[in-house]
Structure formats: C-alpha cells, structure tokens
Amino acid sequence: VKRFLLRCLHCGKEYDPSEVEYTCPHCGDRMGTLEIVYDPDYLKKTIKKEHYEEFSPKGIWQFEELLPIRENGWRPPLLVGNTPLYDSTNLAGKLGVGKIFIKDDGRNPTASFKDRASAVAVAKAVEKGYDTLFCASTGNAASSLSGLCAASGLESYIFVPASAPTAKLTQLQVYGANVIPIDGSYDEAFDISMKIGLKENWYCRNSAINPYLLEGKKTGALEIAVQLNWKLPDFVFVSVGDGTVLSSFYKGFMDLKEAKLIDKMPTVVGVQAEGADAVIRAYEKGEPFEPEDISAFSVADSISVGKPRDFLKACLYTKRNNGLFVRVSDEEILDSIIELARTTGVFAEPAGATAFAGFKKLHRKGLFTDSTRVAIVITGNGLKDLKAPLKILKSLKKVPANLDRVREAIKNDS
Ligand SMILES: Cc1ncc(COP(=O)(O)O)c(C=O)c1O
Ligand SMILES: [Zn+2]
C-alpha cells in the first residue's frame, strides 16, 4: 500500500492526508507549504526501473506508484506528459557542449508543462468529491486547468490578469471556463482567488497551496530519467515564477534517489527574469529564508511573479542540493526564443526560452565542457504568445502577386 504524509517545510510538523487539505494550519499559506513524503521502505521496495518505459501510452500515469493519488482511481481522459526529449546535436556541436537535451513540454494537451499538475489536481478533486475547481494563474495553469476540467466534465473558475497573452485568454473561453480577468497583477489575482475560492468550497489548484500539484509536475524529472535510461544529465535548467516547477524537479530526482534508482542528483538551475527575481532575492539573503516580494515585470509573462508562493521550497531544495540560480534579461529571453527555434525547431514561449537563456548565460561563463550533459526544460509552446518574438523580428513586407516582383524580393532578401 502506498503510504505518504504531508510535512510542513517551516515547522516540520507531519500530517496524515486526512488531517489537512492545503497548508500547515500553524504556519499559514505562505510559510507553511507542505511537501509529500513517501515511506522510504515503500519507495525502495516498490519503485523499480523496469516499471517505466520511454514513451508510455499512459503518459504521467505510468508513474502512479510515485504519485499521491488513489490507486486505480479516476483519471482525466487527456494524454498528459510523454513529451519528447530531443538530443540536439546541432546545438551541442555549435556550442561545444557534450550533450544538450531539449524537453519539449509545450507538447502537452494545452501546450504547457502545467498540464502535469492540472491532471493530478483534477484526479485529486474527483477523489475528494469536488465538482468545481479554481485557480489563479499567469495564464498557463489557467488554460491547463480549464482544458482538463472540460475533458473531465468539471467546472472551473479562473482568476487571471487581464493582461495575459490573447492566446491563453482565448483558450480559457474556448474550453468554457468561468473566466475572471482581473485588472491587476497575478499576485493580486492570487489573493482574490483564495478569498473567493475557499469560501465557495471549490477545489484549489493554486501553486504551492495545494501540495499535490508539485507531485504532478515532478513527472517531468521522472520522464527525463527514464528517457535517458537513468543516466541523468549533469545540469537541468528550469524557469522560475512561483518556484513550484523548479522544486518539482528537485523532488522528482530526490524521490528517485530515495528509491535507489539513481545515486547522484543533477545540478538543477533555476532561471528567473531580472525584473521578476523575487525567489533569487530571497535565496541570496540566506537562511532562514523570508519572502522578498517585489513588483514584477518581465516579457516572460508566465514567470512575472512578484510574490512567489513556493519560494521557501525552491530556496530550501536548492540549498539542500547545491543547486544554482541565474538571472537573465528580457533581451536575452527574446533572443533565446529565436536561437532555440532556429537551432532545434522547438518554438518556446518566453518563459520556456528563459531556461535556455539561463543555460546560455552559464555557457558564456565557461561552465560546460565537451563532456557535460545538459537538459533544458521548455515549459510552454511559442504559439501561446506571438507578440513577444515580434518585438525583435523584422516586420514582413507584402510582395505583389507578380513573378518578377517575387523573384526580386527573394534576391533582395537573401
Ligand atoms: C511556461 C511556464 N514556465 C515556467 C513557469 C514557472 O513555474 P512556477 O510558477 O511553478 O515557478 C510557468 C508558470 O506559470 C509557466 O507557465
Ligand atoms: Zn508548520
């Protein structure tokens, strides 16, 4: 039998899943985020390499033994996870790095990494008897939750900044969510969502608050391990907003280590935009970690977070595992969208390309050699935000429908 408990990151108190819904009652929503802890004996006895395949038709549910949900319970009918991990010889050759693997998580059903968390949120909601879920989101968790709810016949209430990219807002409407576009920041939308959602007794799919979400996200790390046949990369790059995705990569690898399936953690690198670097600020201040909230702005809307809700976990896991953080500018993010697309064929939204920008920054500092193996997680598809790359692309000029003029245009262009 799968056994797990929930442990407060702040006071260390442990709870049975039946005792607590979201966060530690003593430490509150911000400091009292909970982590899921499996019984080490269960992990060692049950989790075996041969249970997992490189591409499973089950998607993330192939890792069910490592997820805190009821065995053989209800699962949403969309294929989540199972995203490709490309070995980009092109990029590795160009940069003189041993191996560069690109995890293309924009290939999920609603085109972002967030589907991994939403799938678990929806499964958990049904397990607990809820028929309505809510979330606040910069856009991707929102479109993800609305898509998974649509597929599952559940209702969703979504609090998003009205300034989110059109594609993400459109997804919400198309999926039939109840959309509340807030004329304010993501941080404001988050606080409002909590006040209304909990009062209405809807199930909360908010990052950090709901401890089960990170467990869904950690399947990204598990897939990388399986896809590389358990020979883990030296570095894994992930972009950071609230800090849940970053923490989930640590957690995935830590669980594998606890289960004795791997013996060494990769160096996980969290990448933030310079204008939205609140997690890094908290980390740099040192222990005991406290929030360092700011007013955030970045071209990478998904990680434009000033009041990161999972900062404590992100900081503690990074410290405990000797991880790294790096900041990148908006300019570096935009350039990275183009370079990544032109060398690998993977079109990332700004927050996805941020991970690549972080890698490039450390590459310029000379951190990697021709034997270093690197994985870069692309968390969202580029079609989610077409305005961002257009900021630096030349605008297209119309050519008359005339053979000579077209030939002339081709010549002038090349
Ligand atoms: C595309 C993308 N990348 C990265 C992140 C960062 O995730 P987290 O907020 O868990 O740090 C998000 C979150 O919205 C996202 O949508
Ligand atoms: Zn506590």
Side-chain angles (χ1 to χ4, degrees):
V1 176
K2 184 169 13 183
R3 275 182 298 163
F4 65 89
L5 44 83
L6 298 106
R7 183 163 59 206
C8 173
L9 276 177
H10 189 238
C11 71
K13 191 166 161 32
E14 295 181 341
Y15 299 94
D16 183 80
S18 62
E19 285 179 294
V20 64
E21 186 88 300
Y22 299 122
T23 51
C24 174
H26 302 290
C27 303
D29 280 357
R30 197 72 194 283
M31 298 304 283
T33 48
L34 301 172
E35 63 180 344
I36 309 281
V37 184
Y38 300 92
D39 173 18
D41 283 337
Y42 163 80
L43 287 180
K44 272 174 238 154
K45 278 198 202 111
T46 318
I47 310 300
K48 303 279 175 236
K49 287 183 183 174
E50 55 275 19
H51 293 184
Y52 312 115
E53 47 190 328
E54 193 178 339
F55 288 107
S56 163
K58 292 190 196 157
I60 64 166
W61 307 119
Q62 73 160 326
F63 300 110
E64 197 174 298
E65 301 167 322
L66 271 164
L67 295 174
I69 47 172
R70 189 181 294 156
E71 277 147 73
N72 304 314
W74 180 88
R75 307 284 175 254
L78 278 178
L79 179 62
V80 174
N82 219 354
T83 59
L85 182 72
Y86 298 119
D87 177 356
S88 180
T89 47
N90 220 359
L91 201 53
K94 181 178 158 200
L95 299 175
V97 175
K99 286 276 183 198
I100 302 179
F101 300 103
I102 304 291
K103 181 73 171 154
D104 185 9
D105 248 62
R107 291 277 296 269
N108 272 303
T110 77
S112 87
F113 187 87
K114 301 287 162 123
D115 287 337
R116 297 179 185 274
S118 298
V120 169
V122 165
K124 200 74 192 171
V126 170
E127 188 180 306
K128 286 173 175 273
Y130 289 89
D131 59 12
T132 304
L133 291 88
F134 76 97
C135 79
S137 159
T138 49
N140 281 330
S143 29
S144 170
L145 180 62
S146 56
L148 276 133
C149 281
S152 311
L154 299 166
E155 191 146 5
S156 60
Y157 283 83
I158 311 285
F159 302 78
V160 273
S163 59
T166 312
K168 297 181 187 179
L169 294 173
T170 307
Q171 276 184 297
L172 302 178
Q173 288 189 283
V174 168
Y175 286 132
N178 300 292
V179 188
I180 302 105
I182 306 273
D183 187 10
S185 67
Y186 162 65
D187 304 303
E188 291 169 307
F190 193 105
D191 289 333
I192 293 172
S193 81
M194 289 300 287
K195 294 216 168 79
I196 296 178
L198 296 184
K199 185 95 198 292
E200 296 290 336
N201 198 29
W202 301 328
Y203 193 55
C204 175
R205 189 247 176 265
N206 275 352
S207 209
I209 301 291
N210 184 327
Y212 299 106
L213 301 181
L214 180 147
E215 295 290 306
K217 292 182 178 186
K218 88 180 174 191
T219 59
L222 306 180
E223 277 180 20
I224 289 179
V226 177
Q227 289 171 324
L228 293 179
N229 201 17
W230 308 97
K231 192 168 177 284
L232 290 191
D234 302 301
F235 292 87
V236 177
F237 285 82
V238 190
S239 67
V240 182
D242 273 308
T244 314
V245 175
L246 176 69
S247 306
S248 78
F249 274 85
Y250 283 112
K251 181 63 164 43
F253 296 130
M254 290 191 294
D255 282 354
L256 291 181
K257 197 155 172 250
E258 188 78 45
K260 306 270 183 233
L261 266 57
I262 61 170
D263 42 41
K264 191 176 160 278
M265 296 279 294
T267 301
V268 181
V269 187
V271 189
Q272 289 208 292
E274 278 171 0
D277 62 348
V279 175
I280 304 186
R281 284 171 189 246
Y283 189 73
E284 286 173 346
K285 278 248 171 136
E287 291 182 277
F289 296 116
E290 299 281 347
E292 285 293 319
D293 297 345
I294 56 170
S295 171
F297 180 78
S298 165
V299 68
D301 63 290
S302 300
I303 51 170
S304 207
V305 177
K307 192 173 171 183
R309 312 291 164 155
D310 234 347
F311 86 97
L312 185 60
K313 206 174 272 170
C315 289
L316 288 172
Y317 284 2
T318 302
K319 187 89 196 169
R320 197 188 296 172
N321 294 291
N322 298 314
L324 297 173
F325 277 113
V326 57
R327 291 179 178 85
V328 293
S329 67
D330 277 5
E331 199 186 344
E332 288 171 300
I333 293 171
L334 292 175
D335 288 344
S336 291
I337 296 177
I338 310 294
E339 185 179 355
L340 181 72
R342 291 182 186 177
T343 48
T344 68
V346 175
F347 179 17
E349 69 157 273
T354 298
F356 181 61
F359 158 71
K360 288 276 296 183
K361 188 154 229 168
L362 294 196
H363 178 261
R364 280 195 297 276
K365 289 193 174 157
L367 237 74
F368 313 123
T369 70
D370 59 6
S371 64
T372 312
R373 300 163 79 248
V374 171
I376 300 165
V377 185
I378 306 302
T379 39
N381 189 289
L383 296 174
K384 291 252 189 189
D385 179 6
L386 296 174
K387 277 203 187 133
L390 287 175
K391 287 184 202 297
I392 55 166
L393 291 170
K394 271 198 305 202
S395 51
L396 295 170
K397 266 208 227 100
K398 263 193 260 185
V399 183
N402 166 297
L403 260 188
D404 289 337
R405 297 287 293 277
V406 171
R407 285 206 176 96
E408 203 180 308
I410 293 173
K411 217 160 76 200
N412 290 342
D413 207 35
S414 50

